[in-house]
């Protein structure tokens, strides 16, 4: 009996000792994973999941939380925002139970940033506010400055996503810089400090580009790149790739295509180390466009093919994410992220170089009347100074509203519907905003959907469009879409290199055939003819 009790006690103490060793080993493993995550995020995620499972087996909550924080950060870096939100639920619970204010604040911050990327703006702002509130309770000064800087960076990104003025976005970047500069030179924080500063310089560079100050932007990017390449700071490779990518776009905008290609190629080589599809797509796009501008057909075709393949893959993945019921993210909430969908539809257009000679032959076959129709469209675009056709409609509508003295409008023949003047004015004002936002290129932009957007009923909306636009709802939307794509084709030569099927997709049509029919109905000519004429004029101009 004594021997039996002795064996039980030995087993008990050996278990405690084994668990203590396991926790110690896990802590060491987690530290190694943190270092690995900066150079190989995919591998870090894979190993972190295994480490999390090991921690869960022995109920080591601190180890579980540390692994979840690694996974959230790396999933965000790789663009898997839905995964960030899913993981955040458990991370929030664990950090609350462990009274870990740093991880709790960071969990809210990462989730808020993921919400921003997915277009859930209300949820994003709510979580950023919570993250800031919790950050005030962090006892370590350096940690507090660090996490507050990250939160301000996230809020800056949120402001950019909701199309806030550039100065508003810049104000948050400067708040980030202020917090980062407060951090000490302690060895545990020096890399984090300069990582933040390099990010701020990159973002400020992007914003000064938007404000039209390329020289100032170049200075910001140069400072950011110098920090990334300083071996004392151990800045992750992703940050350097982002800076190189922004340099490439800066030089492209300045028509310095050789420099744009140089920086983009350098970014492409480095991107292979961590594989971020969104950045790679950007790099392929800049390489494609730069080679087109230089007249290098072989190189432009190569990068066009890479861009198209990767872009289709990303678009399909994004559509799946948006179409998937997000019950694990928001309780029975439907995504109304029209700006995000607009971006997805636009970036979903793939590129294909059309034969100039083929366009020339096609042009020759057209008769004089058809060409006169083309010239009329171009003349209208010039007169409008690239303002889209729907804005002119709004001005015309304003005149009708001002002169309308009756509730029922004189030219309404078939409807007995009575709509108050203030209701009409309100809906027309909202319609103008919809037109300016270009949300009409969304494929499922139905009458019911738009009525819901404008907080009115479909019958009222249909009648107001009929009265003030002189068209049925479908004809009105189709007209806006064709106006949008003709303006794009006229203003931006790169659009003339798209396949007709992708032009159709970009402006919201479900098929090439429907697009071609509507295009001809609205303009009197086919899309191919319109494009060939634009190309011919471009060739004549260059000569």
């Amino acid at each position: 009996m004594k021997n039996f009790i002795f064996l039980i006690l030995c087993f008990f103490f050996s278990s405690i000792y084994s668990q203590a060793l396991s926790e110690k080993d896990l802590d060491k493993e987690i530290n190694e994973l943190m270092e690995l995550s900066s150079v190989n995020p995919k591998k870090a995620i894979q190993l972190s999941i295994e480490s999390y499972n090991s921690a869960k087996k022995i109920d080591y909550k601190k180890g579980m939380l540390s692994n979840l924080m690694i996974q959230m950060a790396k999933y965000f870096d790789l663009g898997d925002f839905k995964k960030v939100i899913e993981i955040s639920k458990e991370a929030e619970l664990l950090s609350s139970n462990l009274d870990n204010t740093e991880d709790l604040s960071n969990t809210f911050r990462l989730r808020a940033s993921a919400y921003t990327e997915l277009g859930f703006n209300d949820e994003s702002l709510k979580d950023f506010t919570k993250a800031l509130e919790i950050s005030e309770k962090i006892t370590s000064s350096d940690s507090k400055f660090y996490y507050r800087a990250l939160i301000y960076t996230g809020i800056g990104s949120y402001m950019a996503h909701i199309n806030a003025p550039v100065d508003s976005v810049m104000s948050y970047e400067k708040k980030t810089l202020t917090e980062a500069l407060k951090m000490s030179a302690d060895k545990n924080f020096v890399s984090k400090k300069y990582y933040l500063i390099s990010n701020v310089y990159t973002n400020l560079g992007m914003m000064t580009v938007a404000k039209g100050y390329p020289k100032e932007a170049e200075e910001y990017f140069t400072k950011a790149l110098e920090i990334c390449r300083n071996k004392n700071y151990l800045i992750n490779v992703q940050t350097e790739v982002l800076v190189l990518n922004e340099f490439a776009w800066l030089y492209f905008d300045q028509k310095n295509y050789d420099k744009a290609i140089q920086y983009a190629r350098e970014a492409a080589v480095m991107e292979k180390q961590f594989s971020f599809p969104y950045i790679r797509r950007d790099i392929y796009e800049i390489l494609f466009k730069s080679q087109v501008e230089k007249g290098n057909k072989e190189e432009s075709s190569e990068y066009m093919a890479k861009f198209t393949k990767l872009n289709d893959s990303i678009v399909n993945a994004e559509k799946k994410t948006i179409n998937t019921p997000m019950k694990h993210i928001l309780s029975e909430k439907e995504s109304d992220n029209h700006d995000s969908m607009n971006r997805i539809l636009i970036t979903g257009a793939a590129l294909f170089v059309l034969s100039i000679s083929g366009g020339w032959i096609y042009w020759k076959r057209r008769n004089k009347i058809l060409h006169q129709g083309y010239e009329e469209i171009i003349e209208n675009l010039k007169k409008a100074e690239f303002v889209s056709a729907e804005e002119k409609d709004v001005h015309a509508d304003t005149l009708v509203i001002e002169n309308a003295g009756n509730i029922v409008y004189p030219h309404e023949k078939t409807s007995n519907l009575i709509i108050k003047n203030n209701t009409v004015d309100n809906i027309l004002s909202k319609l103008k905003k919809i037109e300016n936002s270009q949300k009409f290129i969304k494929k499922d932009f139905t009458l019911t959907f738009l009525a819901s957007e404008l907080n009115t009923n479909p019958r009222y909306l249909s009648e107001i469009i009929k009265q003030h636009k002189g068209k049925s709802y479908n004809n009105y939307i189709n007209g806006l879409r064709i106006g949008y794509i003709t303006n794009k084709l006229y203003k931006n030569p790169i659009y003339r290199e798209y396949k007709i099927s992708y032009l159709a997709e970009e402006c919201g049509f479900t098929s090439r055939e429907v697009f071609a029919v509507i295009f001809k109905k609205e303009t009197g000519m086919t899309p191919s003819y319109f494009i060939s004429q634009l190309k011919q004029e471009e060739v004549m101009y260059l000569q």
Side-chain angles (χ1 to χ4, degrees), residues 31-58:
N31 287 332
E32 291 171 353
L33 283 171
M34 287 178 177
E35 293 180 12
L36 176 65
S37 66
S38 65
V39 293
N40 193 339
K42 283 189 174 180
K43 186 67 175 177
I45 288 173
Q46 179 187 340
L47 295 176
S48 180
I49 292 171
E50 294 174 7
S51 180
Y52 167 85
N53 290 332
S54 298
K56 191 172 184 179
K57 282 181 182 177
I58 61 172

Side-chain angles (χ1 to χ4, degrees), residues 252 257 260-261 285-295:
F252 177 82
Y257 304 119
I261 291 169
E285 183 178 1
I286 195 69
L287 286 168
F288 162 71
K289 289 183 174 180
S290 297
Q291 297 290 4
V292 166
E293 294 294 343
K294 285 174 65 67

Side-chain angles (χ1 to χ4, degrees), residues 205-245:
M206 293 164 65
M207 282 176 271
T208 50
V209 168
K211 293 184 75 174
Y213 303 118
K215 286 295 181 186
E216 189 178 339
E218 190 172 21
E219 290 173 8
Y220 278 127
F221 292 147
T222 300
K223 288 179 181 179
L225 196 57
E226 286 173 355
I227 292 172
C228 289
R229 290 176 171 174
N230 189 322
K231 298 189 183 299
N232 294 322
Y233 302 144
L234 302 175
I235 308 300
N236 61 44
V237 68
Q238 295 100 311
T239 304
E240 186 171 349
V241 171
L242 286 170
V243 179
L244 291 169
N245 185 53

Side-chain angles (χ1 to χ4, degrees), residues 258-378:
D258 289 329
K259 269 198 170 184
I261 291 169
Q262 174 193 332
Y263 279 94
R265 281 178 172 165
E266 193 174 344
V269 171
M270 295 188 70
E271 188 274 336
K272 291 178 182 178
Q273 298 179 40
F274 68 100
S275 185
F276 191 3
Y278 287 88
I279 295 299
R280 197 182 327 134
R281 177 177 62 181
D282 233 25
I283 293 167
Y284 288 156
E285 183 178 1
I286 195 69
L287 286 168
F288 162 71
K289 289 183 174 180
S290 297
Q291 297 290 4
V292 166
E293 294 294 343
K294 285 174 65 67
N296 298 331
K297 291 186 178 180
E298 187 175 337
E299 291 87 345
S300 64
S301 295
E302 175 191 346
Y303 287 113
M304 174 271 295
K306 289 181 177 180
F307 172 86
T308 301
K309 183 177 179 181
L310 179 59
N311 189 67
D312 287 346
S313 175
I314 290 173
V315 169
N316 289 334
E318 285 180 330
K319 285 179 178 177
K320 283 182 183 178
T321 299
I322 287 177
N323 292 331
T324 300
M326 303 189 74
K327 58 185 178 181
H328 299 299
I329 300 178
L330 299 171
S331 301
E332 299 179 357
K333 178 179 175 66
E334 293 182 0
S335 171
D336 58 354
N337 179 24
H338 310 305
D339 290 334
S340 182
M341 281 298 293
N342 180 38
R343 186 174 68 251
I344 291 168
L345 287 171
I346 291 174
T347 54
L351 303 167
F352 185 85
V353 181
L354 296 172
S355 165
I356 293 177
S357 61
W360 178 262
I361 294 169
Y362 204 85
W363 173 80
K364 277 191 168 185
R365 293 175 183 172
R366 297 305 171 203
N367 56 47
K368 186 177 179 180
I369 296 175
L370 197 56
H371 189 65
Q372 286 175 343
Y374 162 80
E375 290 178 336
E376 185 178 336
I377 293 172
I378 297 301

